């Protein structure tokens, strides 16, 4: 074998293994380690080598597969029409070659195309039968994907019933996380010391893979539809006709698209899209160019992986150079210290940037970022400014290495770094920066839900020394509020009323609102259901805490440490003195306590609302049926989950019986 062939064989094998690993990280783990551009470069190299040396291409080559394997914890759905992926390019010249190529394949014909935004999200196929939502599934390997119906139903801009829809309507689209929501979610994860999502696409994918639909419901997800699979009961001759049908059915679709009939018109459309895409609510990383007429698409055909009648054009991620003037420390609710880059203001991806998160000390050391460096800035997922590289060749020697402070910059207290954690924390629970964020969390909608007590109002109250901790909220009075700037009598009265109403919130909301490290909503519910009384929780030992679902060793230790702190116990005593009486329904005699439910099919109210009824009574809600499932609540068109329940011998109940169970509580 010649040296060139030996090299090609080894390189094909290496690239195939490397790309498979990146596919697992991207599709299944939602944690990519390289950029889209780097991945596309590897993929293109493998494709070119396989064309030149076809004898070395293997049957399961990544170039012959669409995406990742369906996840094992979700049921599998076979697509009625395969979901192919698109070839892509970053080059306007290659985009022009695409149009020339299809023109040669269809000589002497006018070939209109449609140019539309490429939403950077998770591909989904949704089947409506007789206007009713039957299922939603991920792309998977192109032939079959994961059944994500339960999580999909939590997306607020998705209608569950379509009026006047075709009898069979398999509609394709992209699920996204809106840019503002993504920024907020990552800020919350940073606060909790959790790994950040790389971009909105990965955040959306991670949300859809949650087995608890309540988690998905809390995430700011949306969907944009742009195509069809199986279609019966309607006749479309052009792709452009689909937009009108989607709007008629109230299915969200692209608000802007361009017809084109030449290379110049295509290039003009992608340039116009590039100028306006930063204003969209969702991240847009390119444009998709599709032949408009379905009859022409049929003649152009497809490969095993991609249609020959469409291509994706990707924009280069905009990167700019600027000066890193300083690194400041932001103190969070739990005392976590997050380094933030202070930048010489620079315009990138549609806005002026003067701050960028640096995540943690380890990330700064890994990238060797120093104060005074010339750095390269990019918006991660076109949303969050990030320092991606340092121009080390421009260093003068005056740059300073960063060191995490030994004292909290907000209060001067000592900081600690827990074993196995990247987060550094201020140990002073009275740190003013922590106090503000802690009170804001306590009053948030997911916790005590005190309307009017947002970040700005909390800042004013703490700065005016009217509030030092969450208990102080309950000694506020109208006259004290009126002394603050921009606070009128009506808003002051409304806030006092909201504070009064919060005194009887459910116990789990109070537990969540206390801001115990690692205790989220799910764990708070479990703690409330197990103990039923705050005083019992406060005195619980670690071994008892660890016996509760969703509470492991780390969480149990955190809970015990929180309630062992005298200051925290004193705050809780004051809350009780101010009349806080959290409500909790005893679950010992509840038919729901300790049961596991799967909710499927069309019911009289949204699934997330029904799930809340189960959760509030001590039950659990899962996304798939297993031997551990206690009940399957089946509505109309329950589908494969109903079949699996019967196969496993899991009890199936209909909605009237479910309502009777609720009434008997």
């Amino acid at each position: 074998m010649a040296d060139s062939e030996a090299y090609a064989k080894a390189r094909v094998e290496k690239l195939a293994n490397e790309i498979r690993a990146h596919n697992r990280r991207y599709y299944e783990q939602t944690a990519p380690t390289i950029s889209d551009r780097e991945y596309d470069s590897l993929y293109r190299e493998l494709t070119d080598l396989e064309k030149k040396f076809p004898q070395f291409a293997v049957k399961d080559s990544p170039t012959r597969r669409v995406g990742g394997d369906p996840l094992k914890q979700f049921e599998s759905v076979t697509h009625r029409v395969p979901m192919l992926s698109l070839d892509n390019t970053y080059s306007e010249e290659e985009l022009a070659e695409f149009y020339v190529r299809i023109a040669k394949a269809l000589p002497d014909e006018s070939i209109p195309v449609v140019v539309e935004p490429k939403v950077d999200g998770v591909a989904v196929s949704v089947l409506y039968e007789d206007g009713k939502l039957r299922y939603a599934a991920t792309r998977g390997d192109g032939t079959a994907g994961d059944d994500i119906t339960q999580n999909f139903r939590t997306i607020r801009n998705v209608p569950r019933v379509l009026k006047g829809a075709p009898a069979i309507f398999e509609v394709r689209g992209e699920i996204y996380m809106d840019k503002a929501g993504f920024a907020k979610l990552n800020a919350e994860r940073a606060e909790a010391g959790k790994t950040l999502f790389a971009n909105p696409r990965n955040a959306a994918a991670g949300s859809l893979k949650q087995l608890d639909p309540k988690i998905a419901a809390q995430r700011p997800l949306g969907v944009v539809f742009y195509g069809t699979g199986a279609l019966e009961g309607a006749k479309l001759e052009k792709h452009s006709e689909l937009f009108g049908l989607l709007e008629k059915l109230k299915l969200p679709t692209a608000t802007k698209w361009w017809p084109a009939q030449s290379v110049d018109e295509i290039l003009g459309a992608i340039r116009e899209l590039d100028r306006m895409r930063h204003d969209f609510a969702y991240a847009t990383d390119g444009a998709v160019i599709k032949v408009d007429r379905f009859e022409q698409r049929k003649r152009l055909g497809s490969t095993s992986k991609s249609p020959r009648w469409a291509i994706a054009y990707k924009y280069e991620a905009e990167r700019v150079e600027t000066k890193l003037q300083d690194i400041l420390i932001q103190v969070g609710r739990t005392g976590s210290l997050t380094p933030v880059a202070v930048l010489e203001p620079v315009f990138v991806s549609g806005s002026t940037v003067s701050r960028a998160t640096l995540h943690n000390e380890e990330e700064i050391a890994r990238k060797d970022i120093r104060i005074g460096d010339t750095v390269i800035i990019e918006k991660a997922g076109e949303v969050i400014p990030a320092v991606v590289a340092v121009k080390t060749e421009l260093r003068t020697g005056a740059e300073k290495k960063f060191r995490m402070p030994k004292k909290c910059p907000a209060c001067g207290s000592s900081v600690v770094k827990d074993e196995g954690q990247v987060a550094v924390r201020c140990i002073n629970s009275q740190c003013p920066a922590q106090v503000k964020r802690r009170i804001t969390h306590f009053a948030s909608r997911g916790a005590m839900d005190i309307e009017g007590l947002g970040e700005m109002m909390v800042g004013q109250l703490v700065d005016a020394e009217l509030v030092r901790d969450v208990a102080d909220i309950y000694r506020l009075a109208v006259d004290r509020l009126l002394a603050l700037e921009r606070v009128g009598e009506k808003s002051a009265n409304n806030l006092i009323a909201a504070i009064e109403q919060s005194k009887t919130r459910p116990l789990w909301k109070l537990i969540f609102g206390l801001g115990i490290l690692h205790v989220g909503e799910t764990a708070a519910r479990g703690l409330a259901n197990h103990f039923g009384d705050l005083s019992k929780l406060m005195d619980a030992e670690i071994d008892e805490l660890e016996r509760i679902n969703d509470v492991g060793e780390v969480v149990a230790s955190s809970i015990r440490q929180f309630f062992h702190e005298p200051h925290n116990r004193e705050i809780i005593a004051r809350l009780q003195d101010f009349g806080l009486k959290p409500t909790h329904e005893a679950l010992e005699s509840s038919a729901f306590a300790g049961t596991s439910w799967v909710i499927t099919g069309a019911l009289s109210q949204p699934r997330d609302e029904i799930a809340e009824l189960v959760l509030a009574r001590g039950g659990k809600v899962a996304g798939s049926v297993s031997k551990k499932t206690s009940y399957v609540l089946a509505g109309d068109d329950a589908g494969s989950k109903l079949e699996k329940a019967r196969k496993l011998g899991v009890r199936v109940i209909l909605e009237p019986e479910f309502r009777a169970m609720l009434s008997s509580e």
Side-chain angles (χ1 to χ4, degrees), residues 43-59:
Y43 191 92
R44 177 72 64 90
E45 183 184 355
L46 178 59
T47 301
D48 291 344
L49 281 171
E50 288 180 340
K51 286 180 180 177
K52 190 174 181 181
F53 301 96
Q55 67 271 31
F56 301 139
V58 294
K59 289 183 178 180

Side-chain angles (χ1 to χ4, degrees), residues 114-119 224-226 239 243 247 252-259 268-277 280 282 284 286-288:
V114 169
V115 181
E116 58 193 63
K118 181 182 178 298
V119 181
V224 173
F225 291 110
Y226 51 67
H239 176 70
F243 295 111
E247 289 179 8
T253 187
T255 55
K256 180 70 175 175
W257 56 275
W258 293 259
I270 64 171
R271 291 165 186 165
E272 184 180 350
L273 172 59
D274 192 22
R275 289 191 293 270
M276 69 190 325
R277 65 193 177 96
F280 296 163
Y282 44 79
T284 311
V288 178

Side-chain angles (χ1 to χ4, degrees), residues 27 79 124 169 209 212 272 338 348 374 411 500 600 653:
Y27 291 103
H79 303 304
V124 64
F169 192 33
K209 291 179 179 180
D212 183 356
E272 184 180 350
T338 303
V348 57
T374 298
C411 70
E500 187 65 27
T600 183
I653 67 172

Side-chain angles (χ1 to χ4, degrees), residues 253-476:
T253 187
T255 55
K256 180 70 175 175
W257 56 275
W258 293 259
Q261 219 163 312
S262 68
V263 170
D264 287 343
E265 289 182 1
I266 292 172
L267 295 180
I270 64 171
R271 291 165 186 165
E272 184 180 350
L273 172 59
D274 192 22
R275 289 191 293 270
M276 69 190 325
R277 65 193 177 96
H278 301 298
D279 296 328
F280 296 163
Y282 44 79
T284 311
D285 62 347
V288 178
I289 297 87
K290 306 173 183 175
V291 170
D292 193 18
R293 296 174 185 161
F294 294 136
E295 184 273 331
Q296 288 182 326
R297 290 185 183 185
K298 186 176 181 180
R299 283 188 284 143
L300 288 168
S302 302
T303 68
S304 62
K305 182 178 182 294
S306 306
R308 296 189 177 93
W309 44 263
I311 192 170
Y313 173 81
K314 288 189 173 184
Y315 299 110
E316 292 280 6
E318 185 180 355
R319 293 184 170 185
V320 296
E321 291 183 13
T322 189
K323 206 78 169 177
L324 194 156
Q325 299 173 329
D326 200 358
I327 297 178
L328 301 180
I329 298 296
Q330 184 178 75
V331 184
R333 166 175 61 87
T334 60
S336 60
L337 274 58
T338 303
V340 178
V342 179
L343 306 170
E344 187 175 290
V346 62
F347 191 82
V348 57
S349 297
S351 65
T352 299
V353 169
S354 60
R355 294 283 192 275
T357 179
L358 296 172
H359 304 311
N360 53 62
E361 188 177 20
E362 292 178 7
E363 181 76 359
I364 294 173
R366 186 179 69 81
K367 293 181 178 178
D368 190 21
I369 298 170
R370 304 181 186 183
I371 297 170
D373 270 335
T374 298
V375 295
I376 298 174
I377 300 298
E378 175 183 305
K379 283 189 178 178
E382 308 243 330
V383 179
I384 297 178
V387 176
V388 295
V390 176
K391 303 278 285 188
T392 55
E393 68 274 15
L394 298 181
R395 283 179 175 162
T396 65
E399 295 78 16
K400 298 178 182 178
K401 287 189 175 182
F402 171 77
R403 293 286 182 271
M404 188 65 80
K406 303 298 182 185
K407 302 287 185 181
C408 172
C411 70
S413 298
S414 298
V415 298
V416 297
K417 184 176 182 180
D418 296 330
E419 186 177 352
Q421 299 289 318
V422 297
V424 175
R425 301 185 185 279
C426 168
I427 63 173
N428 176 21
S429 62
Q430 292 307 295
C431 171
Q434 291 186 55
V435 168
K436 289 180 182 179
R437 291 180 177 271
R438 200 154 50 236
I439 294 171
T440 302
H441 170 75
F442 182 86
S444 65
R445 182 169 297 180
M448 298 299 280
D449 194 14
I450 305 176
E451 189 173 353
L453 196 54
E455 190 174 335
M456 290 184 63
M457 174 60 77
V458 169
Q460 281 188 280
L461 291 169
V462 174
D463 290 343
E465 299 184 351
L466 293 176
V467 172
R468 297 162 300 169
D469 54 45
V470 297
D472 284 343
I473 294 171
Y474 294 93
R475 63 184 181 87
L476 288 172

Side-chain angles (χ1 to χ4, degrees), residues 620-639:
K620 285 195 165 188
V621 177
S624 58
V625 181
S626 71
K627 291 181 179 179
K628 294 182 179 180
T629 304
S630 307
Y631 298 95
V632 169
L633 172 57
D636 294 339
D637 303 318

